[in-house]
Amino acid sequence: MRTATTIEGSAGSWRDLTEFVVEAEKLGLDICWVAEAWGTDAPTPLGFLAARTERILLGSGIIQLGTRSPVTIAQTAMTLAQLSEGRFLLGLGASGPQVIEGLHGVPFARPLTRMRETVEIIRTVFAGGKISYQGKQFTIPLPGDARPMRLSMPPVSVPIYLATLSPKMLELTGELADGWLGTSFVPEGADAYFTPLDDGLARSGRTRADLDICQGAEINIVADEAQLAGILAGRKMELAFSLGGMGSGSTNFYNNAYSRQGWAEVAERVRERWQSGDRTGAATLITDDMVLATTLIGTEERVRERLRVWRDTGVDTVRLYPAGDTLHDKLDNLGRGIDMIRELGERA
């Protein structure tokens, strides 16, 4: 398994974030993804990190559909591929209606069609040819006097990763993408993800070996089980926000994902409590198992065992979100996780 992490530019001082990534590269990390939600954008920090690193792969995790035209996304990806000397990975995601409509003022409708057409246009741009596309969401060039154009940049080969959760989006990922950026992942319920992914792969004549399964989880290694209670309490509030506050009142992809993996009743009750304003009550509904199943929290022995389960389930790249109050603590958790994953690979 390869190792990865994700940073977000609004999560602290940029000096500290840069030091974290530089030190992570020294620890042997393979990929650093840069998030884009409702804080900083992803491409700007990626350009800066390209100049401060030498080996590590750098990815947008993710650029949100609807915030840029497909050709603008392709231009950005090609520029970052040049700046990083071929180390860039393009991660795309539909985001959700609250961010796309509430923040950007762009309709969220038909995200599946928008994703398919965006990927198809981007691949045309990457190939270096003239851009001519007739779709349901995009028409390039527009009718009239305009003629197809090509970018004045050489062709590139940039892997495309899709961050998806719903069954139809997962099928599209298997059909079109080079990698899957997953979340809310429970290895024991992996079929909820892998079945639609495999359906999409079969549609394009591919197998799971052709798709990088990249899954993320918080890693927090504790000395003993007694330390777990306090850590789990904080994580329950974060999970309650994901299940109850992400998206809109009617559309929450995280809630749907947990529901498909066996927690439908609890997930619905959490959403109801959160939407009514009872956030503490929503968090109390989250069980220890719900947190532990989707994270890498616990003693070193437990985390190592969970990583072994992830590997055996078919995860290719583990995206580690290291916990810690200080930069040193985060790098310690990250480094220990990298070492465990490296050991698992050596013993396989």
Side-chain angles (χ1 to χ4, degrees):
M1 291 187 293
R2 294 192 300 179
T3 57
T5 195
T6 297
I7 65 167
E8 201 274 312
S10 302
S13 76
W14 188 241
R15 185 183 298 275
D16 288 345
L17 288 171
T18 303
E19 183 179 353
F20 172 78
V21 176
V22 169
E23 292 301 316
E25 182 177 52
K26 294 177 183 177
L27 290 171
L29 190 77
D30 296 304
I31 308 169
C32 177
W33 297 94
V34 177
E36 178 178 280
W38 47 88
T40 62
D41 73 336
T44 304
L46 284 163
F48 185 77
L49 289 173
R52 297 297 305 274
T53 56
E54 298 178 357
R55 176 197 56 81
I56 197 170
L57 298 175
L58 301 168
S60 57
I62 50 147
I63 287 177
Q64 302 167 101
L65 298 188
T67 61
R68 305 162 179 85
S69 74
V71 174
T72 301
I73 295 173
Q75 286 178 300
T76 302
M78 295 172 79
T79 302
L80 288 168
Q82 288 186 347
L83 287 173
S84 64
E85 298 182 322
R87 292 185 287 133
F88 179 65
L89 309 173
L90 175 59
L92 299 172
S95 189
Q98 180 56 49
V99 173
I100 298 302
E101 297 184 352
L103 181 62
H104 294 285
V106 176
F108 184 71
R110 306 184 74 177
L112 185 68
T113 301
R114 185 180 293 270
M115 179 71 85
R116 175 183 291 280
E117 294 188 6
T118 296
V119 173
E120 291 173 350
I121 293 168
I122 288 172
R123 287 233 161 92
T124 297
V125 180
F126 284 174
K130 290 186 177 181
I131 306 159
S132 179
Y133 189 87
Q134 303 292 320
K136 295 179 179 178
Q137 291 289 301
F138 301 103
T139 299
I140 305 173
L142 289 176
D145 294 334
R147 296 292 181 266
M149 297 176 60
R150 61 166 57 89
L151 297 187
S152 59
M153 301 172 72
V156 297
S157 178
V158 175
I160 297 177
Y161 285 66
L162 301 185
T164 54
L165 284 171
S166 69
K168 289 297 183 182
M169 277 290 198
L170 288 165
E171 285 184 29
L172 187 69
T173 301
E175 180 183 350
L176 295 183
D178 300 295
W180 172 47
L181 293 174
T183 187
S184 307
F185 179 75
V186 181
E188 292 79 5
D191 284 348
Y193 293 112
F194 288 163
T195 297
L197 280 172
D198 288 342
D199 289 343
L201 285 164
R203 189 181 303 152
S204 61
R206 303 192 300 165
T207 67
R208 195 89 59 78
D210 299 306
L211 187 73
D212 181 23
I213 304 295
C214 181
Q215 270 300 330
E218 177 183 343
I219 182 167
N220 194 347
I221 302 171
V222 301
D224 53 59
E225 297 290 341
Q227 290 183 271
L228 269 181
I231 294 171
L232 290 176
R235 190 66 183 85
K236 287 178 181 180
M237 180 60 74
E238 295 173 6
L239 182 52
F241 168 67
S242 294
L243 299 182
M246 289 292 284
S248 65
S250 60
T251 304
N252 185 316
F253 299 116
Y254 296 95
N255 191 291
N256 294 343
Y258 271 83
S259 296
R260 289 194 300 271
Q261 295 179 102
W263 287 295
E265 182 178 346
V266 175
E268 180 56 31
R269 290 168 59 203
V270 169
R271 173 158 52 187
E272 291 172 355
R273 288 279 186 94
W274 189 278
Q275 293 292 325
S276 71
D278 184 8
R279 299 185 176 184
T280 300
T284 61
L285 295 173
I286 304 291
T287 66
D288 289 356
D289 286 344
M290 290 178 73
V291 176
L292 293 172
T294 55
T295 61
L296 298 168
I297 298 175
T299 62
E300 185 169 320
E301 179 181 359
R302 185 188 188 284
V303 171
R304 181 175 280 108
E305 176 55 33
R306 290 305 289 171
L307 283 169
R308 186 177 294 110
V309 172
W310 279 42
R311 180 199 64 188
D312 295 345
T313 301
V315 174
D316 302 302
T317 303
V318 182
R319 211 162 64 251
L320 300 167
Y321 301 96
D325 295 327
T326 66
L327 179 65
H328 177 271
D329 292 340
K330 291 179 180 178
L331 286 170
D332 180 63
N333 268 314
L334 181 66
R336 293 170 73 180
I338 291 171
D339 287 343
M340 288 181 191
I341 292 169
R342 187 181 293 123
E343 289 170 9
L344 284 175
E346 292 172 351
R347 294 175 184 176

